[in-house]
Amino acid sequence: MSGRLFGSVRSRATLAATLVVAVALVAAGTAVLLSLRSNLIGQAGTQAERTARAVATDIALKRADESLSVDNDEPVQVVDENGKLLAASEDLERISGTGTDAVRPQQQPSQGAASGDSGDSDDEADDSDEASSLEPGEISEHTTFTNGTATLDGETDDHRFAAVHVEVEGRGLLTVYAGAPLSAEQGAVNTALTVMLIGFPLLLAVVAGVTWLVTRRALRPVEGIRGEMAAITASEDLARRVPVPDTHDEVARLALTTNETLAALETSVERQRRFVADASHELRSPIASLRTQLEVGAAHPELLDLDGAVQDTVRLQGLAADLLLLARLDAGERPGDTRLDLGALAREEAEGRVNVTVAADAVTVAGSRGQLGRVLTNLLDNAQRHARSAVTVTVREEGGWAVAAVADDGDGVAEADRERIFGRFVRLDEARSRDDGGAGLGLAIARDVAVRHGGTLTVGPAPAGGARFELRLPQAR
């Protein structure tokens, strides 16, 4: 179920965006709550410290024979260095988190006792160096903070307590505890938390909805492309194209690339169809001729044209070899990496041919010896077929390229046909080519092999007035 629910890009994008925003909101909310709580506790501590120092100042100004009393609405305690409660707020009923839980003084010390306590406090070491070094009437600069509870008029609240030390002449070292309520801090934090608990889900819902709508709008062209591709696949009509959105973004570029791929595929399929049709047409003639000769020979052995049957068989064999080589080239067969001398290969292919002149330098190239030999053979066959009297073969080095040229003194190739002749099954002189046994594949094979070897094959005018085919291959290093 979950796989189907989050099986679309839109669902996963919405989920991811919502999760990211949720994590960010939780982190930000936590930071805000902690900061708010810290600031409010700090304010409560400041208020408590202010009260404690005011009480300490009032105590420091009293004479030793005056009774200690605290007139304050906040919870306040005054204890001596032994932890004995000396004074507390009148409305204080219960307290925790300070030096003592007592809320009412049990005994007010006399002046003499106070003096004795003071003397004892002068002789005993205090936990705080600062407190032990105070002079009479002096209040410590250091403040200690604690958290606790206090009950005033029957209401119990959390408080922030501040403790300061004061040295009182005749009373010794006293500690004043004063509290400030934390109800404001708790109320503010609870309010902020409530707002977050209500607002965050609403904000996440808005983020999820907006993400869902935005991704839906962004992916709508992709669905259109997918639907059209499905229709093209079902109809096998490669002439159709997918819609290109007017957005100039990645989806538009995807549509353009898809259309380019469809165009290339259509061209390839059409080329294959023409190739199959042309191959079938070329195979039909020699097969029909061979069948006719064999049938005549079976009925009338004395009329059997054995030489013609052999020629048709050789023609079929050559055509089959050409078709096989083209199929291997179309399948992407990689040429070999053999290093060979192109000049020597040209002399070898021209050997034994009549009226062929070779001027070849030693130039090393890398590739398939058989395929490159086939290129030179096809070029020589084509040149001899159209030459009047002479064919010239040259091989030279030119700027890191090995250049092999085959020229004849025939009629040449018209400029309008200089690219067309490299097409498959193309014959400029239809009747003559058929009589010579040519199927119009030699030059097509030669160019395909040249391209597979990283080179080029072009045709232009020859110095003698005929055609000059130039093969360029990268020189081996």
Side-chain angles (χ1 to χ4, degrees), residues 224-225 228-229 232 237-244 255-256 258-267:
I225 295 173
E228 185 63 23
M229 287 296 294
I232 292 173
D237 182 9
L238 295 178
R240 299 173 60 173
R241 297 293 180 265
V242 301
V244 180
L256 290 173
T258 302
N259 285 336
E260 292 173 359
T261 303
L262 288 173
L265 183 60
E266 181 186 15
T267 301

Side-chain angles (χ1 to χ4, degrees), residues 400-438:
W401 293 85
V403 181
V406 179
D408 61 67
D409 58 354
D411 295 332
V413 180
E415 186 173 356
D417 296 327
R418 288 177 184 174
E419 279 300 316
R420 193 169 72 88
I421 61 174
F422 293 106
R424 298 178 181 183
F425 300 104
V426 173
R427 287 183 290 258
L428 300 183
D429 189 347
E430 189 75 16
R432 179 182 172 188
S433 295
R434 286 190 183 277
D435 293 340
D436 291 343

